[in-house]
């Protein structure tokens, strides 16, 4: 019975991940067709990377939601926790880091603050997309605090995969 439960958990994630991936790619893909006709195939390379990172971000939040659904005893509590988790990562996390930076007068921060951004999948998504284009990197404020070593697409993609896999492994462990 335990193995059936774990299999169902994995199948549920796979089904939801498939639906999320197809919907994201279909939605962005339609806009990609318009870009292709107006800008040519060169613009699609970076747009394809944006689409892929959007799917990864969605899967990271889906993975955390699966973990919350295993931990919570009620469906409404799991839904509320998932919304609170999204709110924390999208809004509160960056405000806390900014508050630390401002309250210490910039003494705490620098490269350490930039590496703390990896603790937030939304920030990993932002950095991944900002650092994929040289023109955008110079215009965006993150480039002033994020070291070039952190802008590696391989590193950031790997961190996103960790954000997907680790919550699923914890959910699987907790389910047992």
């Amino acid at each position: 019975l335990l193995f059936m439960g774990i299999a169902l958990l994995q199948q549920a994630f796979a089904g939801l991940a498939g639906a999320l991936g197809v919907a994201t790619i279909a939605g962005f893909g339609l806009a990609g067709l318009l870009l292709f006709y107006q800008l040519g195939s060169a613009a699609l390379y970076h747009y394809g990377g944006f689409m892929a990172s959007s799917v990864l971000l969605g899967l990271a939040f889906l993975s955390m939601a699966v973990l919350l659904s295993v931990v919570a005893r009620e469906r409404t509590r799991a839904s509320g926790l998932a919304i609170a988790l999204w709110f924390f990562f999208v809004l509160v996390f960056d405000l806390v880091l900014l508050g630390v930076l401002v309250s210490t007068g910039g003494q705490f921060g620098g490269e350490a603050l930039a590496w703390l951004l990896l603790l937030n999948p939304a920030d990993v998504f932002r950095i991944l997309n900002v650092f994929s284009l040289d023109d955008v990197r110079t215009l965006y404020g993150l480039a002033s605090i994020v070291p070039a070593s952190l802008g590696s697409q391989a590193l950031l993609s790997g961190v996103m995969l960790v954000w997907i896999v680790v919550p699923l492994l914890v959910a699987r462990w907790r389910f047992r």
Side-chain angles (χ1 to χ4, degrees):
L1 185 61
L2 176 65
F3 291 115
M4 285 179 35
I6 291 173
L8 287 175
L9 179 73
Q10 292 169 338
Q11 289 174 354
F13 177 79
L16 291 169
L20 177 68
V22 167
T24 303
I25 291 171
F28 283 131
L30 291 174
L33 288 175
L34 294 173
L35 285 175
F36 174 73
Y37 287 122
Q38 291 183 352
L39 303 174
S41 61
L44 290 184
Y45 172 75
H46 292 292
Y47 190 73
F50 173 71
M51 285 174 38
S53 65
S54 297
V55 170
L56 288 176
L57 180 64
L59 293 177
F61 277 104
L62 177 62
S63 179
M64 289 185 279
V66 167
L67 173 60
L68 290 175
S69 72
V70 169
V71 172
R73 297 190 188 276
E74 301 166 0
R75 180 181 292 185
T76 54
R77 182 170 297 209
S79 296
L81 287 173
I83 291 168
L85 188 73
W86 175 86
F87 187 79
F88 171 77
F89 280 125
V90 172
L91 297 172
V92 175
F93 186 87
D94 291 336
L95 288 175
V96 169
L97 289 182
L98 186 60
V100 168
L101 185 64
V102 170
S103 66
T104 62
Q107 292 181 7
F108 177 78
E111 195 163 326
L113 186 66
W115 287 96
L116 287 175
L117 294 174
L118 296 180
L119 298 176
N120 182 349
D123 284 331
V124 174
F125 172 80
R126 289 180 192 124
I127 297 168
L128 186 60
N129 287 294
V130 165
F131 277 78
S132 67
L133 291 169
D134 290 331
D135 294 340
V136 176
R137 184 183 318 152
T138 58
L139 297 175
Y140 197 67
L142 269 178
S144 62
I145 64 164
V146 176
S149 61
L150 186 59
S152 163
Q153 288 186 355
L155 170 70
L156 295 169
S157 298
V159 170
M160 267 307 217
L161 290 176
V162 168
W163 271 107
I164 296 167
V165 171
V166 169
L168 284 177
L169 291 176
V170 173
R172 184 178 180 197
W173 169 79
R174 175 74 170 117
F175 191 78
R176 287 182 177 193

